[in-house]
């Protein structure tokens, strides 16, 4: 590789990484969902082992899922302090997308300018900012790994070992390896139906990845699969909440989440290469886009996750569109305005992708990141109250466990748990129910001794405090966040 | 069959027999060799199936202990023999490698292992079906095939129907008269229309998702591959596709009866796929070996999951100890979970007869008067409770429903307590 190309690539990576880091360091905190990962990393750092049985979650339960990503983040803490590592590493991983998108697009289009343009675009897909900027989710590493695998798959004869390494890493980190497996199977079917000559090496690799990926997932998630069966796909989310995570895919939402330019031109390229032209590489990415579309439509993948991967696929397909567009314009009388057209496309991209990405980051800072008042309140709980169970809203469960180190009745990890819907309804009853005796009965059921009420909880239930608060529920902390102590017990009468 | 082939078949059967014996031996240590699940005990007490007929005869001639031993041995022998017959049937027309692979996939399936260790009825049905089909393929002995087939159809009409449909599909082209005669005689004599009316059940298909009568997902995936692999020969192989469709439809209606058949037909398709993987020319030899190794590991993984599940299945020795203690008490009706009924009847000799709705009305009763009324209506003398029931299966709180009412020592006396198991005698049901 030429030195100039390396320099350009490093520059692109640094631009994307720099912007992300600047936004990420606007707050020292993470979003509510990240605090479980934070606990895992802290635990690995302290003990060298991950939490496999969590005594603070649901009164004590096994933790499902793969811990490998937590180990990778914990390994980073050898070189940097924990808070810096957790900001830098995930953002560095996801910024690698720009590098791999550059190589993929270069392979597809053979045009360096186009590859560079799409590499920059891939660093500013709004939905990726939403799912990864303040989040310690493994998506930060999984999404680049999927595209590394696809890059090596495109030249499988020479890149088999690299493909195997990336696929192994992807499979041990996340069940999203299934998305790649399904899309490769779909690609073979598509190629066969289009009459493209089937490459034997591709067929062999798809066969292997299918069986190996499946086997490894069964090994890693054995307990979870045996506990929930096939419903593990929906993460044991209660039926009335499932729509929040696996909601319907709409065109408007896709346009906003992915960006207008990649969405419109990417969809056009899928249409063109499915119905009009034959190209192996285009079929590969079209197969991934269609697989994701189907998974989203059938609600088999989280909406945010599906849209994040789909967004990057459409960016790659946009690269193909730009190549075709430049080739076409150069053959016409308006060839001299080529740069003007590209400028218009970039302006529209700036308005519909970069601006929304920054806006999303600002919005998340306000809505999804716990405020300092919440952190201070939970630290107060940790130092001023005995260990026990604390009632907190579902989304705040991880935060309570990570900062206050208190047991929670509910948190967003529904796997390997019974009666989730009942627990959610009980917590809601504690916050909103009018009767003190009902609340006391429920608090005794879970042996809870404190109630944590954040401004977010008050806003959610439209309350300013516990409706039945009296001397049985003294307010022990009231600085924006309210913390109530449970001071009474119900006594059973003889029946 | 040559010597090498015989040796391979014996090796496969011996390995599977050894694997199947793991839960038996493990239970010998942890649960004193108790049979797994309620089904064998239902078979010992019940009538109507070939397996229960055999156990009934052994019990009446040699006693309960011999019947319990037979309940362990007969299903294992049935699946091993049935599997060997499946191999011989396939061997008649197909290649040696396909027959061997199909035998391996089938006999290591969760459905076959569960049939050996728990679902004795299905194991004997499978043996009778395999025997019937094998005799049917013989030149002169074929009329005798109706004997095992009739017994099988009487024993399980749903299973019998599938086998007869299968025989007809596979052989109508070559032996129209023979297949018509056998199917009609066996069907008319063996199957009663009422027997087919079974409540459709919802069971899991995939062993890796916890189904103990299912098939490994790797066998299923390979079977899908097999369907594509032999598609070029679809005119000669139509019987396999039609039989698969019939079995899949049957599985939808009668999942437990058809699980074993589905395992068998999936194994055959999977065998075709793996045979292709073995003979095809690979560009990456490493990938070939890794793929075959992964399939083998996958099937083995499913098998181990099933063995693990079966090993820790109920009943355990502590439960049996409590029931033996109950057997020394005066005769009466016992209230407990419905699924414990066959064990309670077998080990304690007490009655277990109550409507599920009444049982739950008592479990969740908050008024003693109401509980007494339902207890009296059902003539309940004992209440059998264990930790599983107290920890979420029935109750979620320590003093919920009946657990609170049991504190009333005028009505209930605790007559047994050990390792979380309690037996309460219902002493006084007067409402005054």
């Amino acid at each position: 590789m030429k030195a100039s190309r390396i320099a350009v690539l490093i520059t692109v990576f640094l631009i994307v990484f720099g912007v992300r880091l600047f936004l990420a360091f606007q707050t020292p905190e993470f979003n509510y969902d990240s605090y479980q990962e934070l606990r895992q990393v802290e635990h690995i750092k302290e003990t060298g082992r991950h939490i496999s049985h969590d005594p603070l979650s649901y009164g004590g339960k096994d933790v499902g899922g793969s811990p490998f990503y937590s180990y990778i983040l914990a390994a980073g803490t050898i070189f940097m302090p924990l808070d810096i590592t957790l900001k830098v590493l995930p953002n560095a991983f996801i910024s690698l997308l720009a590098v791999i998108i550059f190589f993929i697009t270069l392979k597809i289009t053979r045009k360096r300018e186009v590859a560079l343009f799409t590499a920059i675009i891939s660093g500013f897909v709004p939905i990726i900012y939403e799912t990864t900027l303040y989040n310690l989710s493994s998506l930060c590493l999984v999404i680049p790994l999927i595209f590394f695998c696809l890059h090596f798959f495109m030249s499988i004869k020479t890149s088999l070992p690299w493909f195997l390494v990336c696929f192994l890493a992807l499979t041990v980190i996340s069940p999203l390896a299934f998305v790649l497996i399904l899309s490769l199977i779909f690609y073979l079917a598509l190629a066969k139906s289009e009459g493209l000559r089937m490459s034997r090496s591709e067929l062999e690799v798809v066969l292997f990845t299918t069986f190996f990926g499946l086997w490894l997932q069964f090994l890693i998630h054995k307990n979870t699969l045996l506990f929930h069966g096939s419903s593990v796909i929906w993460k044991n989310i209660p039926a009335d909440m499932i729509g929040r995570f696996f909601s319907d895919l709409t065109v408007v939402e896709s346009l906003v989440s992915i960006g207008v330019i990649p969405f419109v031109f990417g969809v056009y390229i899928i249409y063109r290469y499915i119905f009009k032209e034959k190209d192996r590489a285009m079929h590969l990415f079209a197969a991934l886009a269609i697989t994701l579309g189907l998974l989203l439509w059938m609600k088999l993948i989280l909406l945010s996750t599906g849209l994040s991967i789909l967004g990057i696929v459409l960016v790659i397909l946009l690269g193909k569109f730009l190549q075709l567009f430049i080739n076409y314009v150069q053959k016409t009388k308006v060839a001299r305005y080529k740069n003007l057209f590209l400028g218009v496309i970039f302006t529209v991209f700036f308005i519909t992708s970069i601006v929304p990405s920054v806006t999303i980051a600002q919005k998340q800072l306000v809505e999804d990141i716990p405020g300092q008042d919440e952190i201070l309140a939970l630290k107060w709980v940790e130092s001023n109250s005995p260990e026990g169970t604390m009632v907190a809203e579902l989304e705040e469960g991880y935060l309570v466990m990570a900062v206050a180190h208190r047991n929670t009745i509910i948190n967003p990890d529904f796997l390997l748990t019974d009666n989730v819907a009942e627990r959610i309804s009980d917590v809601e009853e504690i916050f909103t129910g009018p009767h003190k005796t009902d609340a006391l009965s429920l608090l005794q059921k879970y042996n809870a001794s404190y109630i944590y009420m954040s401004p977010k909880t008050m806003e959610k239930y439209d309350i300013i405090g516990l409706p039945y608060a009296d001397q049985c529920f003294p307010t022990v902390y009231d600085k924006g966040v309210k913390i109530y102590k449970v001071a009474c017990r119900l006594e059973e009468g003889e029946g | 069959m040559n010597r090498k082939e015989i040796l391979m078949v014996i090796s496969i059967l011996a390995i599977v027999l050894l694997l199947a014996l793991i839960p038996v031996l493990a239970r010998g240590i942890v649960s004193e060799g108790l049979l797994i699940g309620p089904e064998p005990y239902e078979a010992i007490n019940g009538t109507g199936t070939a397996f229960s007929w055999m156990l009934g005869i052994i019990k009446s001639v040699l006693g309960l202990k011999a019947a319990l031993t037979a309940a362990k041995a007969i299903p294992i022998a049935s699946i091993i023999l049935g599997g060997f017959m499946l191999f011989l049937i396939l061997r008649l027309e197909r290649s040696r490698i396909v027959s061997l692979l199909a035998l391996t996939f089938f006999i290591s399936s969760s459905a076959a292992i569960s049939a050996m260790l728990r679902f004795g009825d299905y194991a004997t049905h499978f043996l009778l079906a395999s025997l019937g089909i094998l005799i049917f393929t013989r030149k002169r002995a074929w009329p005798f095939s109706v004997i095992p087939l009739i017994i099988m159809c009487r024993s399980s009409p749903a299973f019998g129907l599938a086998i007869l449909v299968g025989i007809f599909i596979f052989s109508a082209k070559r032996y129209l008269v023979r297949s018509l005669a056998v199917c009609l005689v066996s069907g008319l004599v063996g199957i009663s229309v009422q027997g087919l009316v079974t409540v459709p059940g919802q069971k899991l298909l995939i062993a890796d998702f916890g189904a103990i009568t299912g098939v490994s997902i790797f066998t299923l995936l390979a079977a899908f591959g097999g369907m594509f692999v032999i598609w070029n020969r679809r005119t000669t192989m139509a019987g396999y596709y039609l039989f698969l469709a019939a079995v899949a439809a049957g599985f939808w209606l009668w999942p437990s009866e058809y699980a074993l058949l589905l395992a068998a037909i999936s194994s055959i398709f999977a065998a075709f796929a793996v045979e292709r993987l073995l003979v095809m020319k690979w560009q990456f030899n490493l990938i070939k070996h890794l793929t075959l190794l992964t399939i083998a590991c996958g099937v083995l993984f499913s098998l181990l999951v099933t063995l693990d599940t079966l090993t820790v299945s109920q009943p355990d020795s502590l439960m049996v100890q409590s029931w033996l203690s109950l057997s020394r008490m005066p005769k009466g009706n016992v209230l407990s979970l419905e699924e414990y009924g066959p064990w309670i009847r077998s080990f304690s000799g007490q009655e277990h007869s109550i409507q599920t709705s009444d049982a739950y009305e008592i479990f969740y009763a908050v008024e003693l008067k109401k509980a007494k009324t339902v207890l009296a209506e059902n003539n309940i003398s004992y209440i059998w409770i264990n930790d599983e029931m107290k920890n979420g299966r029935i109750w979620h709180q320590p003093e919920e429903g009946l657990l609170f009412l049991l504190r009333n020592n005028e009505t209930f006396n605790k007559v047994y307590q050990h390792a979380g198991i309690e037996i309460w005698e219902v002493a006084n049901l007067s409402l005054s």
Side-chain angles (χ1 to χ4, degrees), chain B residues 277-341:
Chain B
L277 294 183
L278 283 168
V279 298
M280 80 181 211
K281 204 176 170 189
W282 289 69
Q283 199 147 16
F284 300 121
N285 237 0
L286 171 75
I287 294 289
K288 173 188 177 176
H289 293 131
L290 286 176
T291 307
L292 292 169
L293 185 69
T294 309
I295 294 174
C297 287
V299 173
L300 187 68
F301 172 80
S302 310
L303 178 65
L304 292 176
V305 166
T306 307
L307 291 176
D308 184 40
T309 312
L310 287 171
T311 303
V312 295
S313 296
Q314 288 179 334
D316 57 36
S317 55
L318 294 169
M319 295 166 94
V320 174
Q321 198 180 320
S322 73
W323 291 320
L324 291 175
S325 169
L326 191 59
S327 72
R328 292 188 284 276
M329 296 174 198
K331 295 287 171 212
N333 197 8
V334 183
L335 168 69
S336 189
L337 268 184
E338 197 178 358
E339 67 195 53
Y340 296 156

Side-chain angles (χ1 to χ4, degrees), chain A residues 20-36:
Chain A
R20 287 188 66 96
L21 272 191
F22 172 75
L23 292 170
F25 275 108
Q26 296 296 308
T27 171
E29 304 303 332
F30 302 93
N31 72 357
Y32 287 99
D33 286 344
S34 298
Y35 282 87
Q36 181 68 346

